[in-house]
Amino acid sequence: MPPPHNDIVFFHYLGSPFARRIVWYLTLRGIDYAECIQPPYLPREDIDALGVKYRRIPIMSIGKDIYCDTRLILQKLEEKFPNGALGASQPDQKAVEKLLESWTVDGGVFVRASQTMPPELPLLKDSKFTKDREEFIGRSWAQESIKAMRPEALAHMRDAFAFLENGLLADGRPWILKTEKPSLADIEAIWPFHWMLDLKGAMPPVLVSKEKFPKVYSWIDRFNRAISAARSSVPTPTTLKGAEALKHITQAEYAEPEGQVDGNDPLGLKKGQDVESWPIDSGFRHHDRGNLVSLTSKEVVLAAQTKIGGEEIRIHHPRWNFRTRAVDGEGAKL
């Protein structure tokens, strides 16, 4: 018998554009999980109690393994629940899926979508939120800066809508990979557009509208209906308070074997070595530190201790746009 809510605890805040990627995936798959709702900005005491310094949101625990970054979370869910996986199976389709992930996350689509946020939004007038985001991203979130970036961002997002309308969706296909239902490729492509259209006033109708981009709007509408249909037949996530989540995680087993350190990795690190790891594109002032458990081309795994209770957990970071280095001076220094 599987453990309660599959041993999954999902830490996120309501409205997070990145979190919806994972919530959609879990909903479409019908995977039961628990959630621990967090504030939209620091401090996040529940995550701090776990001993996790990584400051981006969401994160997901499966047992005593803590996974950071939605790309790694999706990869792990595909691996742990292979029956009915949403990922592509053919090499060319896998390539499209990966390119869409890179386009939306690293290629500037989400950054530009976030810059279309109307300055009138109450959240953008909350000094706690704007100061938090300035520390997170490393640029000004003052009202004049938001207003100055917006025209350029609108032009870029109009171009992104056109890419979908006149490219991937031009032949009238219902889903990106011509599947019968939404696939991981759809999730990778749709999330910044879906989030932005949820923001009232983000895109002026003169630039982006149902009339100008009918295929994109129809695709998003189909996706919403698919999510609604899936949600009606899956259990409502269990909501845990921080102390409950911490207790569940520390009393669980590890979700996967310990793994090995690649002896040929260019970093030259060794198993058990004291290392630190952190993202280099945003949230880069917050470093996780621990003993190196595993290092592959895809991820780095650190053994750390919870801040409350001192229990060992494992923190997983992807390699892409993350930096890992020895704390004690051994191995490659960057």
Side-chain angles (χ1 to χ4, degrees), residues 11 38 44-55 59 64 66 68 242 245-246 249-250 275-277 286-291 302-317:
F11 296 80
Q38 301 301 300
R44 297 187 179 116
E45 295 179 0
D46 301 334
I47 294 176
D48 187 51
L50 287 171
V52 176
K53 302 300 182 184
Y54 176 84
R55 65 137 298 159
I59 66 171
K64 294 174 74 172
I66 314 293
C68 305
L246 176 65
I249 292 167
T250 56
V275 300
E276 59 180 350
S277 178
H286 301 258
H287 298 195
D288 279 307
R289 179 175 175 175
N291 294 328
L302 313 179
Q305 290 188 331
T306 60
K307 186 174 181 180
I308 296 178
E311 297 289 335
E312 186 178 273
I313 57 167
R314 293 179 188 154
I315 302 172
H316 298 243
H317 288 179

Side-chain angles (χ1 to χ4, degrees), residues 33-200:
Y33 67 100
E35 62 183 4
C36 186
I37 302 300
Q38 301 301 300
Y41 45 76
L42 298 182
R44 297 187 179 116
E45 295 179 0
D46 301 334
I47 294 176
D48 187 51
L50 287 171
V52 176
K53 302 300 182 184
Y54 176 84
R55 65 137 298 159
R56 299 198 302 209
I57 204 85
I59 66 171
M60 174 177 282
S61 67
I62 307 180
K64 294 174 74 172
D65 288 279
I66 314 293
Y67 301 100
C68 305
D69 194 279
T70 56
R71 291 167 288 191
L72 182 60
I73 292 170
L74 288 169
Q75 174 193 323
K76 294 296 180 176
L77 289 171
E78 286 276 287
E79 293 171 358
K80 187 169 180 63
F81 302 96
N83 294 330
L86 298 182
S89 58
Q90 299 302 314
D92 57 339
Q93 293 186 337
K94 287 183 178 180
V96 171
E97 184 180 279
K98 190 66 178 178
L99 287 170
L100 288 171
E101 173 201 286
S102 180
W103 182 55
T104 55
V105 178
D106 298 321
V109 172
F110 174 70
V111 170
R112 292 302 189 177
S114 70
Q115 291 170 354
T116 68
M117 295 171 69
E120 300 77 23
L121 283 178
L123 201 58
L124 296 184
K125 296 181 179 180
D126 182 341
S127 61
K128 290 183 179 179
F129 177 81
T130 55
K131 287 179 180 178
D132 177 84
R133 289 311 188 263
E134 286 176 350
E135 190 271 346
F136 175 50
I137 297 175
R139 63 168 173 79
S140 173
W141 275 65
Q143 281 283 310
E144 57 269 22
S145 299
I146 294 170
K147 292 176 181 178
M149 290 185 294
R150 186 169 153 78
E152 188 175 276
L154 292 172
H156 278 80
M157 289 310 300
R158 177 182 57 187
D159 184 66
F161 270 87
F163 171 76
L164 292 172
E165 182 78 17
N166 304 318
L168 289 175
L169 302 172
D171 59 4
R173 65 185 64 190
W175 306 112
I176 293 292
L177 298 180
K178 297 183 177 180
T179 48
E180 295 181 358
K181 58 183 181 180
S183 72
L184 184 55
D186 292 283
I187 293 175
E188 298 290 11
I190 206 169
W191 65 278
F193 301 92
H194 190 286
W195 174 75
M196 191 180 64
L197 292 182
D198 275 352
L199 290 175
K200 186 177 180 181

Side-chain angles (χ1 to χ4, degrees), residues 22-39:
I22 308 303
V23 172
W24 286 337
Y25 181 92
L26 293 166
T27 301
L28 290 170
R29 292 291 312 277
I31 297 173
D32 190 18
Y33 67 100
E35 62 183 4
C36 186
I37 302 300
Q38 301 301 300

